[in-house]
Amino acid sequence: MSGRLVVDLQDVDAAGLAEVGGKGAHLGELSRIDGVRVPSGFCVTTHAFRRIMAEAPGSGELLDRLSRVDEGDQEEVRSLAARLRQVVEATPLPDEVAAAVTGALARHGERSAYAVRSSATAEDLPTASFAGQQDTYLNVVGTEEILRHVSRCWASLFTERAVTYRGRQGVDHRTVHMGVVVQRMVVPRASGILFTADPVTGDRRTATVDAGFGLGEALVSGLVDPDVLTVRHGEVVARTIAAKRRALHAVQGGGTRETPIEERRQLEPVLTDDQAVELVTLGRRIEAHFGSPQDIEWCLDDDGFHIVQSRPVTTLFPVPERDDDVFRVYLSVGHQQMMTDAMKPLGLSMWRLTALAPMYEAGGRLFVDATARLAVPGSRAALLDVVGRGDPLTRDALETVLENGEFEPASAETDGGGPPAGDGAEPDEADPSIVTELIERSRRSLAELEREIGTKSGPALFAFLREAFEEHKRVVGDPLNIRAIMAGMEATWWLNDRLEEWLGEKNAADTLTLSAPDNVTSEMGLELLDVADVVRTHPEVVAFLEGVEDDGFLDELPKVPGGAEARDAFEAYLDRYGMRCVGEIDITRPRWRERPSALVPVVLDHVRAFGPGAAARRFEDGRRRALAKEREVLERLRGLPDGERRADAARRMIRQVRAFAGYREYPKYAIVSRSFVYRQALLREADELVRAGVLADREDVHYLTFDEFEEAVRARRVDERLVRRRKDAFRSYQALTPPRVLTSDGVALSGAYRRDDVPEGALAGLAVSAGTVEGRARVVLDIAEADLEAGDILVTRFTDPSWSPLFVGIAGLVTEVGGLMTHGAVIAREYGLPAVVGVERATRLIRDGQRIRVHGTAGYIELLS
């Protein structure tokens, strides 16, 4: 346990985190920035902490127990944490540690007042601030008192709040150590907090200053309301002057005291505008040094501003990296793909390599740049129209950016590529045989990929994959493919618009598209009913499946009477759909073929809820309802003025929507099919790296980009520190909620509904599948934990195609994310489920088990008993 026990702040930098903790490392780094004044002092290092823990009786056993306890068992967490604090505080400081601290105090002034501040190694990190989790003691005077408060800081590593926070962040308590900062007190007349980015909107150009009289602890603890000043472009643009009735001041001889502020000063501004601008200028210098927005604690005395802490702001959504200062507007890809979870680096890089348009990464998510289209009036209108049809919240967010006047519109001559496909024009009728041809083309391309990739390994595999990615883009970007997708979408829009105008009927296309042919996602749900039909006839198989706990069950299934037939049914299903999974756009997610046990609960639910032949009956029922709706619509149209012309146009569009609406799901299926082939080949390479001792775990490659993975295979070397950093970053990204729209200045927007047709107390959303249904809400965040019964309404954050088997047994759908043409909406319409998507915070506002009424035609949710 050798190492320095005390080190001066001026000798510490950012690399010293393991020795002095996050706060100490940041203060040392701050003291190196020109023009930034940091009160002098020293750090009691983590080596001293390890000494005390080694001597604290029973601390090792208590730590082990704390690391194993379930974080939900709050009583046990509280008990173990309290015992650890007692043990640490009761353990005398080793003589060597006490002597080191005493010597440092002699150098810095043993009669001076000090702030004694905890500085854990898991603190003030780029991915998690851990702010306020450990203790700080102000105006500590005298050697004995400082030594006592060093022990108290060590013990504060085990406060209940700190232990709980670490547990939620996935940090092992045994890996965290505590340094202590002992720093000369500044006795300020004012103090506060500076955020170098707006903590609410995320705007990196706007800084906010909270300021109060006296010591900053009163402000941090919520004892007083601060003045709040907003600074933008070197100017105070907004200010709120609070009534500051109390302040915290240092007391001579040690400690602090809360004192009233005389009435005449309560509404006096703490800072002048010039002082606020000066402080923000200082903050910008600190922000530039650390490379990210900062949460800065400051104080002001007669000598000017002193900085007593700076930590990264970890709650802001990151901004895509770029090499210019042009204002940009980004659209979330995840909201279109119905998968807003964070993705690992390999998944992100694979999407970027196979996407038709440039994509930008931020916070573990992908975005596309919409700036060029928004800058030109013509393409802007077309973009807003298409986006608004799919997701009104995204349109609202874009309009908010435009209303704020963030960028100058370009001239018509600098059009960003013209309006996107599907600008609202009535489409020409297309030949339905196009779908057959496109599906066959895709199958041939996939077969060729499977045939050729099997012969490739090592660097040759990566060279081959780069060529395969070009074929991937060719298949997806085939003009005929785009035409077929848009034919179905535009016919849907046409029918909904015209039939509402002519007949007063909303969302008529929902019924007209029931049981449309070639919908691979709806077929995936229905075919699992066929698997259930096989399982249902063998009671021994049902009993066996009810006990399945791992993914090896298919090998054991033939040993059960009827099991061979059931296994064949499962295998046939996996042959067609085994490449799918939750979050399937991320290539790092395990597939059903790799984890077939994910399907077992759904099959058993189908066995209980349905009778034999349910799939065929449901499809035929949908087809009959669609035909009946067509006859009804055409008959009503003929009764209108100019009815024959209108009926003829509607008949043509109904044929078009029946021919192409189902194909909307196939391109995603083709992409995921190809991605599964890529995944299998890449995992073989990862296994080879594990065998060679280059990797500890095959899944470590998920934290490398495709280029880095290729280099690892070539060089037979992986940077383990990079992998660890990426894992930490991924964990932090998982906690972030991605916006629908993000600007290059960091403003994150998710839009709002501006409607007056939603009853009071109801939750507004986007109507995507007509009908009204009332039932029990089941709030499901993880498909593996779904426990649904017939008649339940599924409430979740988003659904991608892998959720489709659940749709067979539910009565309605509510999601937080989604649009008119996203997969969940398409399948809800296909199965005739009333559905409302884009319901902000639905999984938090709707209680699991609560009765709700879903208005799939009007687009809102009523909360009942």
Side-chain angles (χ1 to χ4, degrees), residues 316-336:
L316 299 178
F317 200 87
V319 176
E321 292 184 5
R322 65 192 199 281
D323 54 8
D324 59 43
D325 293 326
V326 176
F327 179 81
R328 299 189 182 280
V329 181
Y330 301 98
L331 298 183
S332 166
V333 173
H335 283 81
Q336 297 303 310

Side-chain angles (χ1 to χ4, degrees), residues 193-201 203-211 227-241 271-273 276-277 280 284:
I193 300 170
L194 160 64
F195 289 97
T196 62
D198 189 310
V200 176
T201 68
D203 191 342
R204 269 60 165 180
R205 296 168 301 175
T206 300
T208 62
V209 178
D210 290 5
D227 291 355
V228 180
L229 295 92
T230 302
V231 179
R232 186 180 175 95
H233 300 316
E235 179 183 359
V236 175
V237 295
R239 66 181 61 77
T240 300
I241 306 302
L271 297 178
T272 67
D273 284 5
V277 171
V280 170
R284 293 293 181 213

Side-chain angles (χ1 to χ4, degrees), residues 5 52 186 433 466 562 579 584 609 615 638:
L5 299 175
I52 202 74
V186 174
S433 66
R466 291 186 185 279
M579 77 295 291
E584 62 191 11
R638 291 189 186 102

Side-chain angles (χ1 to χ4, degrees), residues 272-327:
T272 67
D273 284 5
D274 287 345
Q275 286 172 326
V277 171
E278 178 189 351
L279 177 60
V280 170
T281 301
L282 193 60
R284 293 293 181 213
R285 192 177 304 160
I286 295 169
E287 178 185 64
H289 181 84
F290 287 112
S292 66
Q294 297 288 300
D295 166 1
I296 298 169
E297 296 177 26
W298 57 270
C299 53
L300 176 67
D301 66 6
D302 293 339
D303 293 330
F305 287 105
H306 301 264
I307 304 301
V308 294
Q309 181 57 303
S310 183
R311 60 175 66 91
V313 183
T314 59
T315 56
L316 299 178
F317 200 87
V319 176
E321 292 184 5
R322 65 192 199 281
D323 54 8
D324 59 43
D325 293 326
V326 176
F327 179 81

Side-chain angles (χ1 to χ4, degrees), residues 818-838:
L820 186 64
M821 300 309 294
T822 49
H823 303 278
V826 170
I827 303 308
R829 291 193 291 272
E830 173 65 20
Y831 289 168
L833 302 175
V836 179
V837 303

